Amino acid sequence: QVHLVESGGGLVQAGGSLRLSCTTSRSIFSFDAMGWYRQAPGNQRDLVALVTKRGYPSYADSVKGRFTISRDAAKNTVHLQMNSLEPEDTAVYYCNAANFSPNRSDYWGQGTQVTVSS
C-alpha cells in the first residue's frame, strides 16, 4: 500500500511564496511520475506540475515561471516551490504518484489547502 503525506500549505498574501512537500512510503523511483494537482471549489482537479521518473518536469501554463517541482530521492520526497502566488492559485493541492503501464494507477495524498489573499 502506498501512502503519500503532504505538508506546507497555508495562508499567504498575493506575491508571496509557499513550498509544498510530499513524502511517499516507497522510493520515488517506483513510480513513473509524481506530481501535484489542485482543485478549487466547483472546479475539477487539474494538473499543476509533475516530474517523471527520469527527472523531466512539466507544468500547467498558468504556473510556468512561478512554480518549480523538485525531488529529494534520499527522502522519498517531492517538493513544489510556489512563488509569486496569486489569488487564483487558491485551491486544495493534492500530491499524486502514478504508474502508466500496463494500466494507469494513481495514488493520492489527503490534500493540503493553499489560500492566497489579495
Side-chain angles (χ1 to χ4, degrees), residues 20-44:
L20 305 182
S21 298
C22 173
T23 300
T24 173
S25 55
R26 291 184 187 173
S27 166
I28 60 173
F29 298 119
S30 64
F31 307 108
D32 291 327
M34 290 192 68
W36 293 90
Y37 289 69
R38 67 186 181 188
Q39 187 169 20
N43 290 355
Q44 65 183 16

Side-chain angles (χ1 to χ4, degrees), residues 6-109:
E6 301 135 337
S7 61
L11 172 65
V12 65
Q13 289 187 332
S17 298
L18 285 172
R19 188 173 85 152
L20 305 182
S21 298
C22 173
T23 300
T24 173
S25 55
R26 291 184 187 173
S27 166
I28 60 173
F29 298 119
S30 64
F31 307 108
D32 291 327
M34 290 192 68
W36 293 90
Y37 289 69
R38 67 186 181 188
Q39 187 169 20
N43 290 355
Q44 65 183 16
R45 190 175 296 186
D46 293 323
L47 175 68
V48 176
L50 65 82
V51 58
T52 68
K53 181 184 293 188
R54 293 190 177 186
Y56 298 121
S58 62
Y59 299 93
D61 287 343
S62 60
V63 306
K64 283 180 181 177
R66 299 188 298 123
F67 291 10
T68 302
I69 191 168
S70 63
R71 57 186 188 176
D72 183 340
K75 297 182 179 179
N76 293 340
T77 298
V78 174
H79 302 289
L80 184 68
Q81 179 67 42
M82 305 185 293
N83 298 329
S84 302
L85 283 161
E86 304 169 352
E88 293 74 21
D89 297 315
T90 295
V92 178
Y93 284 69
Y94 295 91
C95 180
N96 170 269
N99 287 317
F100 302 140
S101 65
N103 298 301
R104 173 149 184 162
S105 57
D106 289 276
Y107 305 93
W108 296 96

